[in-house]
């Protein structure tokens, strides 16, 4: 259930909850889109006759919150409906909660038990903790290349290298991330909308961050046309005609160089409450993330096609001379999608 | 059984045979190494009491031969031991046989039945037919690259991109091909022996063809040291000090250009009785084969590593500008080998 809300809950973490009484499941809940209601309240709301909740146990993948954000604290409801005990997988490392929830529940005589729900749950929570406490969001890189690792012909044509199923999976990845990060070149080249075009999931299109150092991007591009999502542009210009960027948020990064500092970009995205970033190219952006060791996962879609060495490589220059310096990845999974292969790598 | 002898029987085809009498298998046979004895004789030899053969049926993946090569004609033995009938999957399209075997067996009152043994058998036979009749051998390309399609760093280091299991599989491929074709650069770069180093299969190392237009290769390279196999060099030089090439066969190709005509190379190899060629790089050779549509299968071993765009690409320039001109392959299979992926492609 926590997995179900991944990519939809930022700046809140995806949480899953079950309410049990006398060995029977009363209800289930998960963090709702945009983060409210929280999983605990969603589960409580499912129970029509609230008197049933008295004496029941709530299982949650994360310590219930004790602070008031967009929502009232979850522990208030747990106390109000007289739950008997709370079983959690992990203490919330977010400094706004960080044991305060447990402490206040215990103060009201509610037993709190910590029990590890397994690695998948810990991973989900850690993505949230890293982003909130260290400004280190989870960065996924999506690559759609030929068998020889090219993402476009030398004339930058790339539609379509991969097949329909791969492209659908690409849309699904969008729905599972909080935002997309993309270089100017990629926006210019294909004029993409970069939304999730799976029927029923089209409302889950993530917000967009674009790197456009000199603010050269044509504002009539499709990427600016989709309603209901935020668009941010990182740039390095001292003078900007802000009027023309009315619906676009500009983020200025001071840099001594002509390129933007990718570490600063990632930190800035995290500070805005985004925990999961999907990077959709181009190769310069992918390469600088790889160089700085900022990529957590690569989804590499590989078509059964060959473009040859003049094509644009998925990864640009890494300045690697020796085999001993080659970047190692960890192969997590490999699946066939029609005539394509999807290889999933994590950090080596 | 025919599959068992693939890569070991050239210039003969790999054939499998079963001898059956009264619903019981009397023996099985397959073409032996170097092509003799033929499968039929190998199977007949298994039966100690030859009188048992009278009235039995012989099943063969290919029409038994009627001509005398290194071996006496198989049909003579079939006639001699008074087989009742012969069931074959295909008529031998080799002009030396081509129905003559069937005709002569029938002439002796032996019934000949043709029954399709299935696609795998037809494929094996077609490789033989194409090579014998059209000088079109079966060309397999082996590629060992990183995830981003690089076969070496920019300083040409490549040991080891792929893991142990992939390299073992590479050795196995050698045992399943009649010869290896390789460019001079690859021999110079790694100084490889290019033999099959699987215990028990080390005697199956294929003969070697090297492209060395200007005959620049150092004759002390490891590739010239292995005993018991033939080494050929294709070149384009008018004057050659033949003495120094005493154990090496030189093949001169006249070319107006500085590079060798790859079509002529492949034809020449076929004419020497080799049906299956394993190409082991480098990228210029692979590319010219791909351009001329000469590759039947690609074994692409892909390590979970990234070198970046300065590395040497598996495929060199193809001069493809438009996506519509991209080379399409057919994905046959994909397997995980430790941290590598082996993708097998055939013609698109």
């Amino acid at each position: 259930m926590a997995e179900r809300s991944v990519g939809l809950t930022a700046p809140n973490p995806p949480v899953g909850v079950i309410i049990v009484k006398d060995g029977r499941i009363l209800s289930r809940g998960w963090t709702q889109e945009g983060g409210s209601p929280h999983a605990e309240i969603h589960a409580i709301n499912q129970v029509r006759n609230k008197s049933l909740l008295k004496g029941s146990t709530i299982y949650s993948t994360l310590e219930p919150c004790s602070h008031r954000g967009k929502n009232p604290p979850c522990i208030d409801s747990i106390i109000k409906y007289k739950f008997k005990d709370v079983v959690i997988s992990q203490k919330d490392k977010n400094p706004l909660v960080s044991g305060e929830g447990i402490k206040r529940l215990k103060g009201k005589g509610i037993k709190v038990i910590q029990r590890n729900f397994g690695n998948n749950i810990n991973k989900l929570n850690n993505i949230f903790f890293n982003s909130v406490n260290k400004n280190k969001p989870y960065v996924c890189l999506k690559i759609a290349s030929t068998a020889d690792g090219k993402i476009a012909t030398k004339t930058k044509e790339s539609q379509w290298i991969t097949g329909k199923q791969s492209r659908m999976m690409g849309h699904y990845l969008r729905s599972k991330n909080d935002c997309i990060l993309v270089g100017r070149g990629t926006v210019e080249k294909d004029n993409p909308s970069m939304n999730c075009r799976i029927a029923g999931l089209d409302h889950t299109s993530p917000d967009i961050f674009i790197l456009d150092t000199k603010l050269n991007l044509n504002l009539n591009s499709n990427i600016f046309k989709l309603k209901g999502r935020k668009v941010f542009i990182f740039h390095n210009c001292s003078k900007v005609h802000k009027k023309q960027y009315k619906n676009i948020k500009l983020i200025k990064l001071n840099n001594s160089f002509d390129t933007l500092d990718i570490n600063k970009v990632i930190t800035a995205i995290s500070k805005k409450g985004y925990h999961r970033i999907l990077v959709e190219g181009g190769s310069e952006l992918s390469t600088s993330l790889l160089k700085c060791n900022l990529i957590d996962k690569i989804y590499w879609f590989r078509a059964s096609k060959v473009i040859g060495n003049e094509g644009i490589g998925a990864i640009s220059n890494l300045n690697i001379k020796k085999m001993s310096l080659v970047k190692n990845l960890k192969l997590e999974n490999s699946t066939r999608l029609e005539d394509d292969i999807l290889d999933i790598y994590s950090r080596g």
Side-chain angles (χ1 to χ4, degrees), chain A residues 67 237 289:
Chain A
H67 66 294
C237 297
L289 287 163

Side-chain angles (χ1 to χ4, degrees), chain A residues 7 29 44 67 181 333:
Chain A
I44 287 170
H67 66 294
L181 173 61
N333 206 344

Side-chain angles (χ1 to χ4, degrees), chain A residues 110-133:
Chain A
I110 295 170
K111 210 167 144 188
V112 181
I113 304 150
Q114 195 176 332
R115 195 183 293 162
N116 193 338
F117 291 4
N119 261 343
N120 282 349
I121 292 301
N122 295 345
K123 272 185 199 162
L124 280 188
N125 288 338
N126 281 336
I127 288 170
F128 173 63
F129 300 154
N130 281 333
S131 195
V132 166
N133 295 332

Side-chain angles (χ1 to χ4, degrees), chain A residues 223-256:
Chain A
I223 205 157
F224 301 115
K225 288 180 184 161
L226 198 78
K227 284 173 184 169
R229 78 167 170 202
K230 295 176 189 160
V231 178
F232 302 83
I233 299 181
F234 284 102
H235 70 100
N236 189 15
C237 297
S238 36
K239 279 184 187 171
V240 183
H241 299 288
K242 289 212 172 158
K243 259 191 183 169
Q244 63 185 111
Y245 290 98
K246 50 187 174 172
N247 294 319
I248 299 163
K249 289 164 216 301
L250 296 176
I251 307 173
K252 188 173 184 312
L253 287 185
N254 291 317
N255 258 331
S256 43

